[in-house]
Amino acid sequence: MFTAIAVVNTLSMVTAGRRGEFALLRLVGAQSAQVLRMPAWEAIALLPAALVCAAVLVPLSIAGTGSAVPALAGGPLAALAAGAPLVAVATTTLVGRLAMRSAAVTPGGLARAVS
């Protein structure tokens, strides 16, 4: 549970920190849905990163324990595998939506509502 809170907190800070990037994308013509899809796809891209980690951790597990099977039972492992991308996409989408609620700023500094 602590790890999930840490992941949500980290993704929230990172996504909220991209408010200027989101405003710039909206000013150059991107629709709100397009801007929101970008961090969601980036969160989904964590899945290949997990495969890279597995490529390192499986040989390490074999060397240390003699087994490539993780110590977690099937149920918790499946819940973790399904829950991590869900938490990542939900967090980036929600925080991205909140970050885009503010008006985009033009280069001259005047606020302008962009829909």
Side-chain angles (χ1 to χ4, degrees), residues 1-7:
M1 185 64 170
F2 177 75
T3 303
I5 293 170
V7 167

Side-chain angles (χ1 to χ4, degrees), residues 34-47:
Q34 291 172 318
V35 175
L36 285 176
R37 277 195 303 265
M38 181 184 62
W41 276 107
E42 290 170 355
I44 292 172
L46 293 173
L47 293 175

Side-chain angles (χ1 to χ4, degrees), residues 11-114:
L11 286 173
S12 296
M13 290 187 306
V14 168
T15 304
R18 296 173 70 181
R19 183 175 286 141
E21 180 184 345
F22 294 161
L24 180 62
L25 286 169
R26 289 170 50 210
L27 283 174
V28 297
Q31 296 175 356
S32 296
Q34 291 172 318
V35 175
L36 285 176
R37 277 195 303 265
M38 181 184 62
W41 276 107
E42 290 170 355
I44 292 172
L46 293 173
L47 293 175
L51 294 175
V52 170
C53 290
V56 173
L57 293 175
V58 167
L60 182 67
S61 177
I62 291 171
T65 64
S67 173
V69 179
L72 290 175
L77 185 60
L80 180 64
L86 181 67
V87 166
V89 170
T91 301
T92 56
T93 302
L94 176 67
V95 175
R97 189 177 303 263
L98 292 173
M100 288 191 344
R101 286 178 55 163
S102 62
V105 178
T106 62
L110 301 173
R112 180 179 141 215
V114 177

